[in-house]
Amino acid sequence: MSLWVDKHRPRCLDQLRVHSKPARQLQKLLAGGDCPHLLFYGPSGAGKKTLCLASLRELFGPSVEKLRTEQKTWQIQLPSRKIEVELATVSSNYHLEVSPADAGRRDVHVVQEIIKEMAKTRSSTSVFQQQQQQQEQEASLVKPAKCAYKVLVINQVDKLSSHAQHALRRTLEKYSATCRVIFTCTNLSKVMGPVRSRCVCVRVKAPSTEEISELVSEVAGKERKEVPRGLANKIAASSERSMRRALLMLETASLGKLDESQELQLPDWELFIKDVAQEILREQTPKNLYLVRGKLYELLVNCVPADTIFCKLVHELLRKVDDTIKYDIVSTAATFEHRMRLGTKPIFHLEAFVAKTMSIYKEWSISNFG
Amino acid sequence: MPGSSLKLGAAPANPAPHTGFGAPGAVSAGPSTTAPAAESQPWVEKYRPAKVEDVVHQQQVVDALKSAVQGKDLPHMLFYGPPGTGKTTTALAITGQLFGPELRKQRVLELNASDERGIQVVREKIKSFASLAVGSGVAGYPCPPFKVIILDESDFMTKDAQNALRRIIEQYSKTTRFIFCCNYITRIIEPLTSRCAKFRFKPVVLESLTERIEHICGREGVTLEAGALAALATVAGGDMRRAISLLQSTARFNSNVIGAEALYEAAGVVPNSEIEDLLGVCRSGGFSDVERRVREMVCDSYPVAQILLQFQEAVVRAEGVEDLKKAEVCQKLASVDAAVQAGANEELQLLDALGFAHKVFSSA
Ligand SMILES: Nc1ncnc2c1ncn2[C@@H]1O[C@H](COP(=O)(O)OP(=O)(O)OP(=O)(O)O)[C@@H](O)[C@H]1O
Ligand SMILES: [Mg+2]
């Protein structure tokens, strides 16, 4: 059983209700056959993936949805040594999807060797060979694709090192006759200008809470469940405008009785961060700092990204402290989060932030209450 | 499928020259070998000038190259300048004009950032290409008796590799010319730059942009409304490639009649009303309003760098704010922008910037 988020993902551009405007625009753009590379950017859960998949379907028809998921190992021959890179790929007869940032510091080799090779080979060779054969077998079923190129979907381009991004530049130009790239990313500012200027950038904004509330009712309907307006609104309000988050919450909520009084279940790690915020404000001592440090470690060990911890923690703190010290907390967080990028150990910077925040808060309490 | 491997590129043990234009073997599908129908190419490629004369706004280099074609000689050259100003185009065009499409495959080696260009590759691949004998020419093209090595995006070569090039350039300069292209000349070591004729590619300004854009509009049946060209020039910021791809997407997104508003929207420019509202909140709202607006802007997916840019303009314009305060805020915006470029979290940085503005504006 797949999750509702995936199960009820709209599959065609003309089915999209949220983002119907960009969907219509994309339809026109894709119809031309001379569509440039695309770059979808927007916060998580905003619907980038859905737009991307629907665009593929628009180009290649339903057979693009026959997916193969593989964990592949590539041997890359560098001048001085041989390295192995493992990457997950999802592909159809017409497209291939990868997240080269998963290769970490080897991302540049992935771009230089694997991606370039995919971009320059026609679909009848190497990577696409098996697909081609399969395609021939199914020839009678498959509606021939109306476009002359294949598509490479590259996720999280903002997470690529600058070397890797540079390595994409000429590849995007040189093989554009046979291969178009669809990028997705959350932070457009982290995609370098030369890469951005080679793509049409499509802003995917998170749906409004009203839209989310409607979506929640709609999906519940498809699952033959009744969601009271009030609950749908409540889910939307705590969805942070993320469709994924909203639908996950709905699915969890549907395990109980769907009425307005139901308490929504937040993810564990968020509850944990709320708890950390509370601790910081409860007692500002070295002892408590030590205790908080343990909790931060636990979050990191459970793979909660450090910048997410920073953000959530700031939001929690801001809800509780006096207006006069809000900016100080924000600016402290911004400084330490930035510094964290220059270093290698997130815990130092998280802890420094907590210590500084404790001191800001304590000073404020003393000056107000003595 | 663990263990499967691709044959990737030429191994170092086999330093066969790998020409950039349609690599040996049938696998390659470089544009010039397959000559795909122009209809299936994005406009940026479709309208990439094939002749040096068609490169706009770079008169100095165009003139120098024209006489080079006549005189059948070429100095080592270095093209530098911001993205999308014609560096790669010019390098490709001049080699095409000198050798024609066929001979170019033998005589020209293009290496760019998508190729591994460590010191070993420089020593082996480049050296073996440079030391190949020059064959005879073909009819209809000048075919001067040398080969050309284009090192595109060369600001991303390591210092070691650049140093290794010094000797190679000297050794083979009888039969080989080098063209370096890069965005930042300061990243190329001095011994290399001093061996080249240097050409700065300037950001393409409105006038030259108009010339090229109108040519494309004519071919594609696109009409620009009044003010659209100026809008295009503003958002492109001198980058011709950006201008062309924006033109194409705007034409496709809407209709073949393009107005300034549609261009701004396609370029991801934040509507002025939003920016004014942000400024208003910073000047007279509470901190929680600032916080709420920052969340909204991030959810609406406006790139933070873009918001900062426009917010800064609004601050400078703002009436009834002391200059000193404006200066303080602008300074903050600059440092926040730098932090964002360095990869810091966008939401926190924006909150820091606007929170600071709020603090400054609301202080007596
Ligand atoms: N001066 C110019 N005249 C006409 N067209 C241009 C000019 N500069 C750029 N273009 C257009 O922009 C596209 C990209 O140009 P080009 O590849 O030469 O940029 P570049 O200077 O190499 O940029 P980068 O630094 O990003 O590699 C070309 O295909 C062409 O359509
Ligand atoms: Mg270039």
Side-chain angles (χ1 to χ4, degrees):
Chain A
M1 271 304 288
S2 60
L3 292 170
W4 292 2
V5 210
D6 299 316
K7 194 167 151 197
H8 299 293
R9 193 194 283 284
R11 289 165 41 205
C12 305
L13 285 176
D14 39 22
Q15 284 174 0
L16 286 178
R17 292 241 217 110
V18 175
H19 303 315
S20 58
K21 187 177 172 203
R24 260 183 288 117
Q25 295 183 324
L26 277 169
Q27 262 178 322
K28 287 201 223 164
L29 184 67
L30 296 170
D34 56 0
C35 176
H37 305 297
L38 294 172
L39 193 164
F40 292 117
Y41 64 98
S44 81
K48 303 181 291 285
K49 189 68 181 281
T50 305
L51 274 173
C52 170
L53 294 178
S55 302
L56 287 173
R57 189 175 151 127
E58 182 78 18
L59 283 172
F60 302 108
S63 55
V64 79
E65 288 167 352
K66 280 199 184 154
L67 297 177
R68 278 174 297 276
T69 310
E70 289 167 284
Q71 187 73 28
K72 283 194 190 167
T73 309
W74 275 278
Q75 324 268 340
I76 297 178
Q77 180 69 59
L78 298 180
S80 51
R81 70 210 145 99
K82 207 172 193 169
I83 59 167
E84 264 189 15
V85 178
E86 219 180 285
L87 266 190
T89 64
V90 178
S91 60
S92 73
N93 291 349
Y94 306 105
H95 87 288
L96 193 137
E97 176 182 338
V98 283
S99 306
D102 291 348
R105 273 182 303 166
R106 292 179 169 173
D107 59 357
V108 61
H109 303 306
V110 173
V111 174
Q112 285 182 336
E113 302 294 342
I114 302 172
I115 290 187
K116 188 167 66 171
E117 207 60 28
M118 287 171 181
K120 85 178 176 198
T121 44
R122 277 218 176 271
S123 42
S124 57
T125 46
S126 75
V127 207
F128 284 75
Q129 200 155 41
Q130 314 151 328
Q131 281 99 315
Q132 180 78 17
Q133 285 163 358
Q134 197 178 345
Q135 187 186 340
E136 277 158 14
Q137 287 163 11
E138 297 167 322
S140 48
L141 305 172
V142 178
K143 154 172 156 253
K146 60 184 172 194
C147 58
Y149 51 83
K150 59 176 179 284
V151 172
L152 210 55
V153 177
I154 299 182
N155 290 322
Q156 296 191 313
V157 59
D158 50 345
K159 297 260 164 66
L160 288 183
S161 65
S162 67
H163 254 86
Q165 292 193 29
H166 272 286
L168 279 170
R169 291 166 59 168
R170 262 309 267 162
T171 300
L172 289 177
E173 296 178 336
K174 221 162 148 180
Y175 309 110
S176 69
T178 51
C179 177
R180 299 296 149 73
V181 178
I182 301 182
F183 293 107
T184 65
C185 76
T186 21
N187 288 342
L188 191 64
S189 313
K190 283 178 201 160
V191 182
M192 58 175 50
V195 171
R196 259 187 283 161
S197 87
R198 283 162 169 85
C199 308
V200 170
C201 302
V202 180
R203 180 164 68 96
V204 185
K205 63 174 181 180
S208 65
T209 28
E210 293 76 34
E211 284 175 309
I212 293 210
S213 163
E214 262 167 47
L215 179 82
V216 164
S217 309
E218 191 188 310
V219 168
K222 285 186 187 153
E223 289 288 334
R224 302 182 186 289
K225 308 246 182 203
E226 187 83 34
V227 177
R229 228 343 18 143
L231 182 62
N233 288 342
K234 203 160 137 185
I235 292 178
S238 46
S239 69
E240 297 176 355
R241 291 174 64 185
S242 156
M243 293 193 264
R244 180 177 307 116
R245 196 174 150 95
L247 294 182
L248 286 174
M249 276 200 279
L250 171 68
E251 195 169 352
T252 317
S254 74
L255 298 175
K257 194 171 161 321
L258 286 172
D259 62 36
E260 294 181 24
S261 62
Q262 192 182 357
E263 277 296 318
L264 293 176
Q265 183 71 41
L266 289 178
D268 288 345
W269 62 270
E270 280 185 31
L271 295 174
F272 207 82
I273 292 183
K274 273 183 196 289
D275 186 44
V276 171
Q278 213 131 41
E279 278 304 312
I280 294 173
L281 303 182
R282 187 179 59 82
E283 182 189 312
Q284 297 81 37
T285 56
K287 184 163 144 268
N288 206 31
L289 177 60
Y290 184 73
L291 191 131
V292 167
R293 177 179 219 253
K295 295 191 179 223
L296 293 173
Y297 251 128
E298 202 161 324
L299 282 165
L300 290 171
V301 168
N302 282 292
C303 295
V304 181
D307 64 324
T308 310
I309 303 180
F310 265 111
C311 269
K312 278 268 176 237
L313 205 48
V314 167
H315 283 299
E316 281 308 316
L317 291 166
L318 290 187
R319 281 165 36 151
K320 300 197 167 102
V321 302
D322 189 78
D323 266 6
T324 50
I325 58 170
K326 280 184 176 170
Y327 176 68
D328 296 330
I329 292 180
V330 166
S331 127
T332 311
T335 309
F336 285 115
E337 196 276 338
H338 177 207
R339 254 185 227 171
M340 178 177 79
R341 308 276 164 171
L342 312 173
T344 49
K345 288 257 189 289
I347 189 71
F348 293 161
H349 307 276
L350 279 165
E351 191 176 16
F353 165 63
V354 171
K356 178 82 184 164
T357 304
M358 282 182 169
S359 125
I360 292 170
Y361 188 75
K362 185 153 202 168
E363 213 168 287
W364 173 82
S365 331
I366 292 173
S367 67
N368 279 273
F369 309 111
Chain B
M1 204 173 44
S4 76
S5 82
L6 285 171
K7 290 233 162 50
L8 294 168
N14 168 25
H18 162 94
T19 60
F21 306 98
V27 273
S28 162
S32 54
T33 44
T34 48
E39 286 71 55
S40 67
Q41 286 268 49
W43 291 3
V44 264
E45 286 305 321
K46 188 172 168 186
Y47 294 103
R48 187 189 282 280
K51 290 205 184 100
V52 173
E53 298 90 276
D54 293 337
V55 173
V56 299
H57 201 62
Q58 317 298 355
Q59 209 47 50
Q60 193 195 5
V61 65
V62 171
D63 289 344
L65 288 176
K66 267 199 235 158
S67 59
V69 175
Q70 275 153 17
K72 291 193 175 194
D73 200 9
L74 209 62
H76 299 306
M77 288 182 293
L78 182 128
F79 300 161
Y80 65 102
T85 47
K87 300 178 297 295
T88 305
T89 306
T90 307
L92 296 180
I94 184 67
T95 51
Q97 280 170 282
L98 284 176
F99 302 113
E102 281 310 309
L103 190 60
R104 176 159 83 169
K105 290 180 202 161
Q106 293 166 29
R107 291 282 188 92
V108 182
L109 173 71
E110 182 198 346
L111 290 173
N112 50 62
S114 78
D115 303 294
E116 155 68 41
R117 292 180 300 184
I119 183 159
Q120 230 141 341
V121 171
V122 170
R123 285 206 185 119
E124 288 166 19
K125 209 164 176 174
I126 295 186
K127 200 165 166 182
S128 73
F129 180 81
S131 59
L132 284 179
V134 179
S136 54
V138 294
Y141 294 95
C143 300
F146 53 74
K147 287 159 293 169
V148 178
I149 297 181
I150 302 174
L151 288 162
D152 205 348
E153 291 144 12
S154 51
D155 34 3
F156 261 70
M157 292 181 78
T158 61
K159 289 258 154 27
D160 284 347
Q162 294 189 29
N163 268 312
L165 271 177
R166 286 166 65 170
R167 274 192 53 78
I168 297 177
I169 294 185
E170 229 143 64
Q171 218 170 342
Y172 297 100
S173 63
K174 272 223 170 69
T175 55
T176 311
R177 301 289 180 274
F178 284 80
I179 302 179
F180 295 90
C181 305
C182 66
N183 295 125
Y184 301 104
I185 191 174
T186 47
R187 299 211 185 128
I188 312 285
I189 59 172
E190 200 273 338
L192 288 188
T193 57
S194 64
R195 285 172 169 77
C196 298
K198 289 176 276 294
F199 295 100
R200 190 172 92 87
F201 280 63
K202 294 167 291 181
V204 181
V205 299
L206 179 64
E207 208 175 295
S208 316
L209 182 115
T210 305
E211 182 187 329
R212 192 71 190 154
I213 291 292
E214 279 181 345
H215 167 78
I216 297 176
C217 285
R219 293 288 196 84
E220 297 288 340
V222 173
T223 318
L224 293 178
E225 285 173 1
L229 266 171
L232 194 57
T234 312
V235 289
D239 182 339
M240 191 73 187
R241 175 173 40 230
R242 188 160 149 74
I244 297 175
S245 77
L246 261 178
L247 183 74
Q248 186 187 4
S249 51
T250 317
R252 292 281 189 264
F253 280 173
N254 305 285
S255 67
N256 278 350
V257 182
I258 297 178
E261 279 310 309
L263 279 169
Y264 282 129
E265 196 190 314
V269 172
V270 187
N272 258 333
S273 55
E274 297 262 356
I275 297 292
E276 288 304 328
D277 185 59
L278 273 188
L279 186 61
V281 163
C282 289
R283 288 181 67 174
S284 52
F287 193 89
S288 52
D289 298 318
V290 175
E291 202 192 339
R292 179 178 48 80
R293 287 295 289 140
V294 165
R295 261 243 50 88
E296 282 170 5
M297 294 299 275
V298 170
C299 280
D300 284 341
S301 191
Y302 289 114
V304 167
Q306 180 71 31
I307 302 175
L308 292 174
L309 184 75
Q310 291 181 246
F311 186 74
Q312 193 251 18
E313 286 166 8
V315 167
V316 173
R317 267 200 317 264
E319 280 167 28
V321 181
E322 296 153 49
D323 283 351
L324 210 58
K325 286 187 175 177
K326 288 186 180 181
E328 238 180 302
V329 171
C330 286
Q331 217 162 31
K332 178 71 180 178
L333 292 176
S335 71
V336 164
D337 186 57
V340 169
Q341 294 307 325
N345 181 285
E346 297 202 321
E347 187 175 347
L348 275 182
Q349 291 299 326
L350 187 61
L351 192 55
D352 187 16
L354 299 186
F356 182 85
H358 176 259
K359 188 174 142 181
V360 171
F361 290 150
S362 56
S363 71

